[in-house]
Amino acid sequence: MYGSYTGRSRTRKRVAGLRTTGTAAAVGAALLLAGCSGDGDGGDKDAAPTVSQQPKAKDPYWVNPEGNAARQVAAYEKDGDGEKAALIRKIAEQPVGEWISPDNAENQVKGVTEAAAAADRDALLVLYNIPHRDCGQFSKGGAADGHAYRSWLDSVAKGIGDRSATVILEPDALLHLVDGCTPQEFHEERYDLLKGAIQRLKQQPATKVYLDAGNAGWQSPDALYQPLQRAGIAEADGFSLNVSNFQTTAVSTEFGKKLSEKIGNKPFVIDTSRNGNGPYTGGDPAESWCNPPGRALGEAPTTQTGDDLVDAYLWIKRPGESDGDCKGGPKAGDWWPEYALGLVRATK
């Protein structure tokens, strides 16, 4: 998602496949038939996943037992590689965001939220389908137009129903308006789409919505608060920071509090999936965001942050999935076990 723009980092993802029991089983099967069975090569697809949920009091979000990391654990165990399996398990046992693809959105979301509900957990969803997405960079695409986006968003909301879900709304979309990456002719429509998305999602009784606000290395609170207001932040539950980026939790928290002061003390969530060693400062600064070496996992996902303004530390970016075809990586969103192992080994 950021191409050559300094200080940015995202990747496109598709929802991982589900193998569930009870009510969610039929929907999970429908997801598999629809072709939404995960990104890239997540190890042996026939190997049985071997992960469980985190304690609900610490982290209420659902761990997908068929995510790429879980499948990689099973594949390494099948091959007798206990050392690598134990390392990847540190990723597989944490809840990560489920990025909803454009096709069959209602079935995808219903499958995820039903599986989460069956496990007595909340779903963590990431919506990334805004028209003119990513300014033509690694994760270009999105809905064909505003009408298509509203239709897709309505399908997502129907898929959530009355089940508990937290939605991270459109990483990059607001920031690309602020930094001029998105052409001026699309600005008015995008503001309208973001505000409408918040309003539609908040019609679901158990849904929280966090509008993405970039990261501490990209723009300033002074540049962001009015665009956030225009995009409907007043009706959202808060905003998200550091999605797919590497700014430290301390820096992100300080940034978030300064921004929160300007928008009615709204709370926020921080993506800590890969920020354990902070941003990468070597190599070409224009590509510091893309599969940087030596990065590490950050704080484990939790709602117990010890700060009233920080609602949660989340793994919104799925650790081990590529940022794009740079530094030897596969295309954006594909599972890359070597990078996943590097993240874990570098974690203190």
Side-chain angles (χ1 to χ4, degrees), residues 156-333:
V156 169
K158 289 178 180 177
I160 294 173
D162 60 359
R163 291 173 289 277
S164 295
T166 292
V167 174
I168 307 302
L169 183 61
E170 295 298 340
D172 300 350
L174 183 81
L175 271 295
H176 280 323
L177 299 178
V178 176
D179 69 9
C181 182
T182 299
Q184 184 68 39
E185 62 192 279
F186 303 130
H187 284 206
E188 184 175 353
E189 178 189 60
R190 180 166 295 183
Y191 279 119
D192 183 65
L193 291 176
L194 291 173
K195 186 171 185 178
I198 293 169
Q199 292 171 341
R200 177 63 186 91
L201 291 166
K202 290 304 295 179
Q203 291 179 24
Q204 308 312 120
T207 296
K208 293 182 178 180
V209 181
Y210 293 88
L211 177 61
D212 187 64
N215 63 72
W218 183 19
Q219 301 298 321
S220 69
D222 284 341
L224 293 172
Y225 75 93
Q226 289 181 332
L228 280 168
Q229 290 171 336
R230 187 175 174 185
I233 190 64
E235 297 179 70
D237 293 272
F239 56 96
S240 59
L241 292 175
N242 206 47
V243 174
S244 295
N245 210 273
F246 304 89
Q247 301 295 323
T248 66
T249 302
V251 168
S252 297
T253 300
E254 180 182 6
F255 180 89
K257 287 184 175 181
K258 289 178 180 178
L259 182 54
S260 177
E261 288 178 359
K262 298 177 179 294
I263 52 173
N265 295 316
K266 283 283 185 178
F268 53 96
V269 298
I270 301 172
D271 185 351
T272 60
S273 59
R274 305 184 300 175
N275 72 347
N277 283 341
Y280 180 58
T281 58
D284 182 356
E287 287 196 355
S288 63
W289 60 271
C290 191
N291 298 324
R295 300 312 90 196
L297 303 174
E299 288 91 342
T302 183
T303 53
Q304 297 179 359
T305 68
D307 193 314
D308 290 342
L309 276 177
V310 184
D311 280 352
Y313 301 143
L314 302 174
W315 285 8
I316 301 169
K317 158 73 178 183
R318 301 198 289 220
E321 293 184 1
S322 177
D323 291 316
D325 54 356
C326 58
K327 300 183 180 68
K331 71 177 185 293

Side-chain angles (χ1 to χ4, degrees), residues 107-132:
N107 281 346
Q108 286 180 61
V109 175
K110 187 176 181 182
V112 171
T113 56
E114 285 195 343
D120 192 27
R121 296 296 187 275
D122 299 345
L124 177 61
L125 309 176
V126 188
L127 304 190
Y128 183 54
N129 195 36
I130 203 79
H132 317 292

Side-chain angles (χ1 to χ4, degrees), residues 138-159:
F138 278 131
S139 294
K140 64 184 178 181
D145 53 32
H147 177 74
Y149 184 78
R150 292 184 185 96
S151 178
W152 176 80
L153 198 287
D154 190 58
S155 295
V156 169
K158 289 178 180 177

